[in-house]
Amino acid sequence: MTFADLGLSEDLLRAVSEAGYTEPTDIQREAIPPVLMMKDIIGIAQTGTGKTASFVLPMIDIMASGRRRALMPRSLILAPTRELAAQVAENFEKYGKNHDLKLALLIGGVQMGDQVKALNDGVDVLIATPGRLMDLFERGKILLNGCELLVIDEADRMLDMGFIPDIEFICSKLPDARQTMLFSATMPPPIEKLAKKFLNNPKRIEVSRAATTNKDITAFKVPVKARQKRDTLRWLLENDHVETAIIFANRKTTVRELNKSLQSYGFASSEIHGDMDQSNRLKELDRFKAGEVNILVASDVAARGLDIKGVSHVFNFDTPWHPDDYVHRIGRTGRAGAKGRAFTLVAEEDAEAIANVEKLTGAQVPVFGKSDVRVELVDFTGDGCATDRAAARLPRRFRYLTSGFTAFESCDPACQAGLVVSQCDEAVEHALLACLFEFDRQLVAFLVGHAAIAELVVEHARSDRNVAARLRGKARRAAAGFGQAFGRSVIARR
């Protein structure tokens, strides 16, 4: 089936073709014909399935005929966030370029003057967040009694953000004779109640079971201690063939700190969260879309609706508090048929949250294991060459860490050659491991002999005076067994 089979106009089909689309997605194929027949719709679809176009395309044809009037929009689309509202507006501009349609975007964080002027000139399509719409309505700057069509997008997110009373108020001010569409990824009881109250004999379209995850996304959970989350995240970013990634955290302070940490390690990252004004948020999103940065650290302000092409990975630095948010977070990857990978770092305090996610989705999130790693791991089984057998004698926790953290891959050849030092005695190995294990897990993977290891110990010691003092003491004790050159190097460099 093609878009031409759905009953869309020639002008609209030309715009869709120019945008590079030829075949409709499941939700578009199911929703567009009944919308054109002016039926009420309940659409349940995962994020990334083309849901926005399923109402934007038929609305363009429906709104093509009719007359604009000042302060009285002909149609209304309610979106939970400014970013999602702006994205819906972009869709109208892209697909409606061959139609004479005027739209207005009512969102917070920007000046009201231009928005009021657009309303005074008359609009066909009004895209708004509930808060700004209520503000202008209470000021008498907008009339809703001429609205012929209403779309409530991301209804479950509206519920999470406490917008349901506002939506009920807005619906009560609209004409009874209207077409209403409600779209949501999940259908909790309050949304079912809202649909029964304001929709008239709706057609229910469910292209996948509510709250399931996209089949194109390979998801994993990574059990980890809270203090090791940053190390684990950096290793995954370096070793899982990451092209572009969005990293979600539950708190705005975590977003800021994590972005700063990633930048200090040389990653091209940026951040968006609710404390940023609208212009700065859009600026950072544009940088990410343009490829100026390939990692975006975000709070849940970005989890819903944002359609950014080519996101290869999503990382949940924190397991989301609301299980519905998990579906929407990981839905930023694996969009429009592309494949994606999603990782959730699960500390002890996240156990209840991940259990709620698995209960909602009805499936266990698999644990990330050795077979899922995309780089070749160092073999510490003890089979084979002498260095392997020497490695097998190392403490168990060292073998575990080096098999799970292959920063070894990025070592220079000299460091790689000395990774397993068979000539050093067991006491020295234990002393060096004690030095490194407590402070930086990745340094363990760089364990090499003689001067090379001295360089690494000294480099790490420089970063923290307290660490430096402890390392110097342990290095002195290790020097007797490892050789005077090593001890002198460590002590002299400090």
Side-chain angles (χ1 to χ4, degrees), residues 54 67 74 83 141 175 197 212 265 283 295 317 337 363 444 455 475 478:
S54 70
R67 185 170 61 89
R74 297 174 56 213
E83 287 77 16
K141 302 294 185 181
K197 184 175 181 180
T212 56
Y265 278 85
K283 179 182 176 182
I295 298 171
F317 188 77
V444 178
E455 293 290 331

Side-chain angles (χ1 to χ4, degrees), residues 224-231 347 349 437-439 441:
V224 64
K225 292 182 180 179
R227 61 185 175 84
Q228 296 167 347
K229 280 188 174 184
R230 291 189 185 184
D231 291 334
E349 55 267 33
F437 179 77
E438 296 176 34
F439 308 112
R441 294 174 66 176

Side-chain angles (χ1 to χ4, degrees), residues 40-290:
D40 285 5
I41 298 290
I42 295 176
I44 303 172
Q46 302 162 350
T47 184
T49 55
K51 172 171 56 66
T52 303
S54 70
F55 63 82
V56 167
L57 294 176
M59 279 184 68
I60 290 172
D61 272 351
I62 292 170
M63 292 290 111
S65 59
R67 185 170 61 89
R68 293 187 287 268
R69 288 179 288 180
L71 303 181
M72 297 177 66
R74 297 174 56 213
S75 63
L76 172 64
I77 300 173
L78 292 174
T81 66
R82 293 175 279 188
E83 287 77 16
L84 182 54
Q87 184 175 292
V88 174
E90 289 174 6
N91 272 261
F92 267 101
E93 291 169 353
K94 177 168 62 176
Y95 298 125
K97 62 183 180 180
N98 299 323
H99 291 73
D100 179 26
L101 290 178
K102 272 199 169 184
L103 65 89
L105 185 62
L106 300 190
I107 57 176
V110 296
Q111 293 293 327
M112 248 184 222
D114 292 340
Q115 297 175 353
V116 172
K117 184 178 183 301
L119 290 171
N120 286 331
D121 293 340
V123 296
D124 297 293
V125 181
L126 178 64
I127 305 165
T129 52
R132 179 52 63 96
L133 180 63
M134 290 285 289
D135 195 0
L136 288 173
F137 183 83
E138 290 169 356
R139 294 170 185 238
K141 302 294 185 181
I142 185 171
L143 303 172
L144 298 176
N145 54 353
C147 185
E148 307 162 11
L149 192 154
L150 169 68
V151 177
I152 303 171
D153 196 15
E154 300 283 3
D156 50 350
R157 181 61 168 166
M158 299 276 200
L159 175 65
D160 293 341
M161 298 177 71
F163 284 142
I164 297 302
D166 290 345
I167 292 173
E168 291 178 337
F169 176 83
I170 291 166
C171 288
S172 70
K173 300 301 178 182
L174 297 171
D176 291 334
R178 68 171 188 272
Q179 181 181 11
T180 305
M181 291 174 270
L182 183 149
F183 290 89
S184 186
T186 61
M187 287 296 289
I191 301 303
E192 293 277 11
K193 182 179 177 182
L194 183 73
K196 289 178 181 178
K197 184 175 181 180
F198 292 108
L199 275 70
N200 180 29
N201 191 26
K203 178 177 175 62
R204 188 182 182 99
I205 300 168
E206 192 167 353
V207 298
S208 62
R209 188 175 65 82
T212 56
T213 54
N214 191 330
K215 65 181 184 300
D216 292 322
I217 302 170
T218 304
F220 300 101
K221 60 184 175 186
V222 184
V224 64
K225 292 182 180 179
R227 61 185 175 84
Q228 296 167 347
K229 280 188 174 184
R230 291 189 185 184
D231 291 334
T232 306
L233 175 64
R234 289 195 300 270
W235 185 86
L236 288 168
L237 288 170
E238 290 172 345
N239 292 282
D240 203 65
H241 301 175
V242 175
E243 297 171 7
T244 55
I246 301 179
I247 303 168
F248 288 106
N250 289 345
R251 295 178 177 86
K252 291 174 279 191
T253 53
T254 307
V255 171
R256 288 191 290 264
E257 291 168 0
L258 186 56
N259 179 47
K260 187 175 179 180
S261 173
L262 289 172
Q263 289 176 346
S264 72
Y265 278 85
F267 292 97
S269 65
S270 184
E271 67 187 64
I272 62 168
H273 51 76
D275 282 350
M276 299 171 66
D277 61 42
Q278 181 68 4
S279 59
N280 283 331
R281 278 157 63 174
L282 291 176
K283 179 182 176 182
E284 295 307 316
L285 279 174
D286 288 341
R287 290 182 65 212
F288 183 63
K289 290 178 180 179

Side-chain angles (χ1 to χ4, degrees), residues 47 81 154 157 246 248 272 298-306 325-332 335:
T47 184
T81 66
E154 300 283 3
R157 181 61 168 166
I246 301 179
F248 288 106
I272 62 168
S299 61
D300 282 308
V301 73
R304 302 268 181 142
L306 290 184
D325 286 337
Y326 174 84
V327 177
H328 291 280
R329 282 184 181 187
I330 71 171
R332 298 312 99 210
R335 299 179 73 84

Side-chain angles (χ1 to χ4, degrees), residues 463-474:
S463 66
D464 188 309
R465 287 182 177 273
N466 293 327
V467 172
R470 297 173 68 180
L471 286 177
R472 278 202 306 275
K474 291 184 179 182

